[in-house]
Amino acid sequence: MPVWIEHADVEDGSSKRFHLHNDKISYMMEVTHEGDLAHVYFGPRIDKTTLSRRTPEVQRAYTANPNPVCEAYTLDELPQEYPTFGRSDYREPAFHLVQADGGRISHLTYASYEVVQGKPSLQGLPHTHAADGEAQTLVLQLKDEIAKTEVHLSYTIFEGHGIIVRSVQVINQGDDPVVLDRVMSASIDLPDSDFEVVSLSGSWGRERTVKRQPLVSGTVSLESRRGTSSHQMNPFIGLVRADTTDGHGHAYGMNLIYSGNFRAFAEVSQFATTRVGMGVQPFDFRYTLNRGESFQAPEVVLSFGSNGLNAFSQDMHAFYQNHLIRSVWRNRSRPILVNNWEATYFDFDTDKLLAIAKQAADVGIELFVLDDGWFGGRSDDTSSLGDWFVNESKLPGGLQHLAQSINDLGMKFGLWMEPEMVSPNSDLYRRHPDWCLHVANYSRTESRHQLVLDLSRQDVTNWLKERLTALLERASIAYVKWDMNRNLTEVASAVQSSARQQETWHRYIIGLYDVLEHVTTRFPEVLFESCAGGGGRFDPGMLYYMPQTWTSDDTDAVERIEIQFGTTLLYPPSSMGAHVSAVPNHQVGRLTPMTTRGHVAMAGTFGYELDLTTLDKEDLAEVQRQVAFYKKWRTILQYGRLYRLKTVDKHSSDAAWMSVSHDSSAAIVTYVRVLEAPQPPLRRLYLQGLNPEFTYEVKLDTGESLGHFGGLELGNAGLLMPVFMGDFSSKMFVLQKVDGEFYLA
Ligand code: GLA
């Protein structure tokens, strides 16, 4: 068993140092002579025998000293692991609590530590996992002796990943209640501020586009107050050096395993250090702990990469694949699906669905997904959410009959649902008008004509578990698309005391996780895909339960390139739902060729979202070819190492990426010429991740061979792209290792 966590006592025994390390990273902490837990280092691996590194202490003007005889010791400069408020550190605190007597300061000092093999699980929250031998966990216990509060900081280091997973548990050991105002999951003080902040931000239909901005004095705050992790801001903050690119440079990241309100910040201090932290959104959050009660903050994934953003992303992908996603599907080939949403919207009957399904089966598609509109009286978006009973006037014979007919065509059957919602025009709402989030005497704000069920209530989550279980037990449903189509408003619960209303945001998420835990463990073989109006909840919390997420409601091939680049900064291609849709595209009206739509969608878990019965012969033949191609290469496309070769943005004219098999014996390269130019320059792709010793045959996806090339040659001299291609056109190349080749020396 390798030693990943080391600790040492300072000579006089008054203090302690900790060093977590593996072959990629080192993370060091120190208990200072004053009992505070100081951050010492996080970055590329430092020789594991070094435990003498310490936090510097410098006498500063106009700072306060907790110990008057140590004027060089000030909390306002001390790099810390879990900073508190009120005792002379004026930077962002990680922790803020109100005691029964109104006291608002905390003094957390180190009490003890424990090293645990493997990775302990968290109760009620999604969490990373590892077998013993794959990870070690350090738990540091801090105490506030006056407030009688304990804070346990957990740090897990994993074999082979540049990643530390942190979380925090707060326990009230006193007789009086305490109120938590802020419990960040992690905070870290980096020694300089020469960083750019990376965020994944956007809106509905243009989620997770990569933004970089220089860090200057003050605080950058990335957050959601919407009740979901949100389209607008993914629960991620990155810090990179100005010269960091896809292929080069240092990158730090924090990604919260949580699906609700969050906050991440980066604050540059007066001494040009950077405090970066992340956790549950403190705005409108208050959580009361009575005697003996505890609060568990979600896990945050701290990652560090030395070799550019491609390597950073690959590490995140492998980590989420191995240590977060829990479904039996996490390493299985994902089926090619056809979804009827953009094909029919609400306007369907059995005949129409079966006609699409028949055509899908004929071209080799494996899964038919029935989207919105199959239940209650729903024929548009104004009614019936909550009435999860099939509409037999639309689908005679019910779901069983439809599922059976789909199965008879040789395809699996999948179903859309939006379990967290209720339409005011529904039987459920008429029976239980108090089951939604609402504030007494105020009107209930609708969005898409719907309200949000109060999942902080156990009677509501119990009902939901029963209803979903009954539904999934009856028909042979192999796949579920779990949707969530609005943000939260009037966040209050009819069954909670007035003092605890600000717990509702968090309790909603805990209730959601409770339902997901129940449904996904009760139906382990079902492939779940999460969705929130596209990618409004594409986060590690949902990924724990559901191995796929619908990336965006924007299905335009050109728009999708940027969205998919941003998404795969963190999340594995196997988690990224990507479908070919009709043209003119329903979101932006763009006309793109079927080949380009196919090539772009093959970057994720592939499918179609159009009426296949309306395609002409040529397009149908292309669909058939794409399906066969994807089946042959999907292991690489879903699980290979991804390299972004040419990042697209609004001003670039082309984009390229490639996926390489883990033994580097094969690769798929995708090139998109977004906008053509007259007299275009010759463009080459400098391929990455290939074995320099190997010879590869390069073919187009249509089968035409372009010849044999050395791995080193493809990296250094590049692969030449066609000169003139036209707007929105694309090429896909397959590289396969060949044996017994000799080159000119
Ligand atoms: C959301 C989803 C779509 C579709 C509709 C159905 O917008 O993102 O894919 O399922 O709901 O109402």
Side-chain angles (χ1 to χ4, degrees):
M1 178 85 210
V3 181
W4 292 324
I5 299 178
E6 289 183 288
H7 51 89
D9 293 326
V10 177
E11 304 69 47
D12 62 0
S14 65
S15 157
K16 226 170 164 47
R17 295 186 190 141
F18 298 92
H19 184 186
L20 292 78
H21 54 81
N22 60 21
D23 60 345
K24 294 207 161 76
I25 49 165
S26 278
Y27 193 104
M28 294 181 186
M29 293 169 270
E30 172 188 40
V31 180
T32 68
H33 47 82
E34 302 304 312
D36 298 309
L37 184 63
H39 174 77
V40 177
Y41 175 79
F42 179 34
R45 184 184 175 212
I46 290 174
D47 187 292
K48 67 183 177 187
T49 59
T50 309
L51 266 173
S52 51
R53 174 160 286 270
R54 303 208 41 188
T55 43
E57 289 176 23
V58 185
Q59 191 159 343
R60 299 290 194 182
Y62 218 84
T63 52
N65 316 109
N67 179 350
V69 298
C70 279
E71 287 189 57
Y73 189 86
T74 167
L75 294 178
D76 214 8
E77 188 173 24
L78 185 76
Q80 291 171 72
E81 283 294 318
Y82 209 60
T84 58
F85 162 80
R87 295 183 56 257
S88 81
D89 184 348
Y90 296 95
R91 295 168 289 174
E92 283 269 350
F95 184 67
H96 187 213
L97 131 167
V98 184
Q99 298 177 40
D101 66 0
R104 284 136 37 245
I105 69 165
S106 312
H107 185 186
L108 290 173
T109 53
Y110 169 79
S112 60
Y113 79 95
E114 192 187 355
V115 175
V116 186
Q117 296 307 324
K119 166 69 181 56
S121 45
L122 296 190
Q123 273 299 321
L125 280 168
H127 54 269
T128 53
H129 49 78
D132 285 0
E134 286 180 341
Q136 276 170 2
T137 301
L138 172 69
V139 183
L140 298 175
Q141 277 132 23
L142 312 183
K143 268 193 188 150
D144 183 326
E145 297 290 355
I146 314 277
K148 300 272 180 295
T149 309
E150 279 189 22
V151 171
H152 296 184
L153 306 181
S154 294
Y155 300 79
T156 304
I157 184 157
F158 298 80
E159 182 177 25
H161 296 286
I163 283 168
I164 303 270
V165 167
R166 283 183 64 172
S167 70
V168 175
Q169 190 187 30
V170 184
I171 306 154
N172 179 6
Q173 303 283 31
D175 293 333
D176 297 325
V178 293
V179 176
L180 304 175
D181 256 0
R182 167 188 298 225
V183 185
M184 291 284 120
S185 292
S187 175
I188 188 170
D189 287 320
L190 296 169
D192 66 71
S193 59
D194 300 329
F195 291 109
E196 291 184 355
V197 175
V198 182
S199 63
L200 296 175
S201 58
S203 178
W204 173 89
R206 52 178 166 81
E207 302 90 333
R208 291 175 303 286
T209 45
V210 180
K211 312 267 172 23
R212 279 171 78 149
Q213 53 180 314
L215 202 53
V216 290
S217 299
T219 305
V220 173
S221 185
L222 312 177
E223 50 196 314
S224 165
R225 289 180 293 274
R226 294 169 180 271
T228 59
S229 51
S230 89
H231 299 88
Q232 287 72 12
M233 191 64 76
N234 202 254
F236 168 74
I237 185 166
L239 291 180
V240 298
R241 299 298 186 187
D243 65 351
T244 299
T245 61
D246 277 331
H248 160 91
H250 284 190
Y252 290 92
M254 281 191 184
N255 199 190
L256 193 67
I257 307 181
Y258 192 64
S259 309
N261 287 353
F262 73 90
R263 176 157 190 258
F265 62 84
E267 180 184 14
V268 176
S269 78
Q270 58 183 325
F271 305 116
T273 61
T274 304
R275 174 164 291 173
V276 50
M278 186 163 215
V280 170
Q281 168 67 268
F283 175 76
D284 204 31
F285 167 88
R286 299 191 97 207
Y287 202 99
T288 304
L289 292 184
N290 289 323
R291 178 199 161 103
E293 287 182 344
S294 64
F295 177 81
Q296 177 64 56
E299 291 183 350
V300 65
V301 178
L302 266 72
S303 40
F304 172 79
S306 309
N307 299 315
L309 291 169
N310 276 336
F312 175 89
S313 301
Q314 288 164 11
D315 197 24
M316 291 295 284
H317 298 171
F319 181 73
Y320 283 159
Q321 206 67 53
N322 298 331
H323 297 293
L324 177 70
I325 298 173
R326 189 179 61 153
S327 160
V328 297
W329 282 92
R330 76 186 160 124
N331 293 319
R332 286 190 194 166
S333 285
R334 307 297 169 80
I336 303 175
L337 65 81
V338 62
N339 175 307
N340 74 305
W341 178 241
E342 288 199 17
T344 66
Y345 294 104
F346 292 104
D347 180 19
F348 60 81
D349 56 23
T350 308
D351 289 347
K352 205 163 175 178
L353 296 177
L354 285 180
I356 297 173
K358 164 104 187 35
Q359 188 63 268
D362 285 350
V363 294
I365 291 173
E366 299 155 309
L367 167 69
F368 177 89
V369 180
L370 174 57
D371 211 279
D372 195 354
W374 55 267
F375 51 90
R378 190 150 167 109
S379 52
D380 55 32
D381 63 12
T382 60
S383 82
S384 304
L385 294 168
D387 298 343
W388 300 111
F389 300 92
V390 73
N391 179 349
E392 293 232 14
S393 62
K394 227 170 173 180
L395 301 172
L399 288 178
Q400 286 101 309
H401 174 70
L402 182 65
Q404 190 54 54
S405 312
I406 302 285
N407 293 161
D408 290 345
L409 291 168
M411 277 190 296
K412 302 272 191 214
F413 176 68
L415 192 64
W416 177 97
M417 50 182 76
E418 198 180 351
E420 297 156 68
M421 297 293 152
V422 60
S423 308
N425 180 9
S426 68
D427 291 342
L428 181 69
Y429 190 73
R430 284 183 279 272
R431 265 201 324 275
H432 296 289
D434 63 330
W435 272 18
C436 64
L437 294 170
H438 65 280
V439 178
N441 303 325
Y442 281 82
S443 61
R444 303 175 180 195
T445 307
E446 294 179 22
S447 173
R448 208 191 189 205
H449 315 286
Q450 61 198 59
L451 298 167
V452 184
L453 285 176
D454 178 1
L455 298 192
S456 74
R457 289 176 65 150
Q458 216 175 352
D459 51 351
V460 176
T461 53
N462 284 344
W463 167 82
L464 200 51
K465 287 180 200 172
E466 274 167 36
R467 192 77 285 282
L468 296 177
T469 304
L471 192 66
L472 292 173
E473 264 171 355
R474 284 190 61 200
S476 67
I477 297 169
Y479 161 107
V480 166
K481 178 177 173 188
W482 182 296
D483 209 344
M484 199 277 186
N485 275 317
R486 60 161 292 179
N487 294 143
L488 276 48
T489 52
E490 291 88 30
V491 178
S493 177
V495 296
Q496 204 54 267
S497 67
S498 57
R500 288 186 176 270
Q501 287 299 335
Q502 282 162 296
E503 296 177 15
T504 310
W505 295 99
H506 181 64
R507 288 186 181 276
Y508 177 91
I509 297 293
I510 296 297
L512 167 66
Y513 289 154
D514 180 36
V515 176
L516 294 179
E517 178 72 27
H518 177 85
V519 178
T520 56
T521 49
R522 172 72 184 76
F523 300 97
E525 285 295 326
V526 170
L527 174 58
F528 284 88
E529 177 154 346
S530 79
C531 175
R537 222 167 39 183
F538 203 135
D539 61 59
M542 295 309 281
L543 217 49
Y544 171 79
Y545 301 100
M546 309 200 182
Q548 292 181 199
T549 302
W550 178 227
T551 306
S552 176
D553 274 346
D554 187 347
T555 55
D556 171 66
V558 172
E559 293 286 311
R560 267 300 184 108
I561 299 172
E562 200 173 352
I563 297 171
Q564 294 179 179
F565 271 15
T567 303
T568 55
L569 184 68
L570 306 175
Y571 307 110
S574 65
S575 69
M576 189 173 71
H579 303 166
V580 172
S581 62
V583 289
N585 174 266
H586 293 195
Q587 291 77 40
V588 297
R590 191 176 279 126
L591 282 158
T592 53
M594 182 61 89
T595 38
T596 307
R597 282 176 272 157
H599 288 161
V600 172
M602 283 189 209
T605 48
F606 187 56
Y608 292 84
E609 185 139 349
L610 46 72
D611 186 349
L612 293 165
T613 64
T614 60
L615 295 185
D616 62 24
K617 256 175 133 182
E618 206 179 309
D619 272 352
L620 207 53
E622 172 60 16
V623 168
Q624 192 158 17
R625 194 196 60 75
Q626 288 173 359
V627 168
F629 180 88
Y630 189 80
K631 282 183 185 168
K632 185 164 177 202
W633 296 106
R634 69 178 138 194
T635 312
I636 298 180
L637 290 163
Q638 293 172 356
Y639 294 106
R641 269 179 288 124
L642 179 74
Y643 293 84
R644 292 172 289 264
L645 301 177
K646 274 179 142 275
T647 307
V648 76
D649 60 35
K650 291 278 173 286
H651 313 288
S652 54
S653 57
D654 55 358
W657 60 96
M658 67 187 286
S659 302
V660 186
S661 70
H662 288 278
D663 63 1
S664 299
S665 67
I668 311 288
V669 179
T670 312
Y671 176 78
V672 182
R673 181 75 51 91
V674 180
L675 289 180
E676 193 50 278
Q679 296 271 55
L682 291 181
R683 296 180 222 235
R684 289 176 177 79
L685 292 183
Y686 298 95
L687 304 189
Q688 295 180 35
L690 301 177
N691 187 324
E693 308 279 316
F694 289 177
T695 301
Y696 295 89
E697 177 170 23
V698 180
K699 286 183 179 172
L700 288 172
D701 59 338
T702 47
E704 182 193 334
S705 178
L706 303 179
H708 290 187
F709 300 85
L712 202 55
E713 180 186 3
L714 288 167
N716 292 338
L719 181 67
L720 188 62
M721 295 297 104
V723 183
F724 190 86
M725 291 175 61
D727 289 352
F728 314 137
S729 57
S730 64
K731 291 281 176 208
M732 189 175 255
F733 305 88
V734 180
L735 277 65
Q736 277 182 284
K737 176 184 184 248
V738 290
D739 295 318
E741 280 290 318
F742 298 97
Y743 313 107
L744 294 176

